[in-house]
Amino acid sequence: MAFLRGEEVEFCSKQVGFVGSYYEATVINNYGNKSYAVQYKNLVTEDKSHPLIEIVSADEVRPLPPKVSATEFASLDVVDAFDNDGRWVGKVSGRQGFDYFIPYPTSRLRPHFEWVNGKWASKKRV
């Protein structure tokens, strides 16, 4: 799937220590469907003066997942938790009040989706 300049996407890092993390970005250039220049929504340069821009491999870029309203999760649900400027894949192992044993409040969680063969697939449970 090719992305055009201005499209909002997620960068799915394959770098050691960042596997399972997703960062929202905007495509600012397409280099022949092999790589893209992206400007991150939440990541900034070291001096914090500008949004971070990187050239990333096309196989690490996917469309934004569908927005799904979820107010409750069950044990073993696979979720994406917003932390450290990106989303990280995790598993709900329990719940206490409005906090889940990931541990994040519901407002920082979303259901996890995988981009498989050009379609979104929900990964509800482990």
Side-chain angles (χ1 to χ4, degrees):
M1 171 175 211
F3 297 100
L4 303 174
R5 184 182 180 136
E7 282 191 75
E8 292 183 352
V9 295
E10 277 191 337
F11 168 68
C12 314
S13 183
K14 292 182 181 177
Q15 184 179 355
V16 174
F18 293 93
V19 174
S21 63
Y22 299 86
Y23 299 90
E24 288 187 38
T26 301
V27 173
I28 58 174
N29 208 344
N30 176 332
Y31 298 109
N33 295 332
K34 293 189 182 201
S35 61
Y36 296 96
V38 297
Q39 178 175 308
Y40 294 101
K41 179 178 179 181
N42 296 311
L43 298 178
V44 295
T45 57
E46 284 188 36
D47 66 3
K48 300 183 192 290
S49 64
H50 297 76
L52 182 62
I53 295 173
E54 288 186 319
I55 296 176
V56 299
S57 176
D59 67 345
E60 295 179 299
V61 178
R62 69 183 195 174
L64 291 179
K67 292 191 185 229
V68 177
S69 181
T71 56
E72 295 212 9
F73 298 95
S75 287
L76 303 181
D77 279 357
V78 179
V79 296
D80 296 334
F82 187 80
D83 190 43
N84 290 328
D85 301 318
R87 297 217 177 248
W88 296 79
V89 177
K91 171 177 69 167
V92 174
S93 60
R95 177 180 173 177
Q96 183 175 11
F98 292 105
D99 289 333
Y100 290 88
F101 293 125
I102 284 196
Y104 295 98
T106 307
S107 63
R108 298 186 77 174
L109 301 178
R110 72 177 185 198
H112 181 70
F113 288 90
E114 292 286 337
W115 183 246
V116 180
N117 298 323
K119 294 183 181 176
W120 287 108
S122 174
K123 187 168 184 183
K124 179 86 172 141
R125 299 271 166 100
V126 177

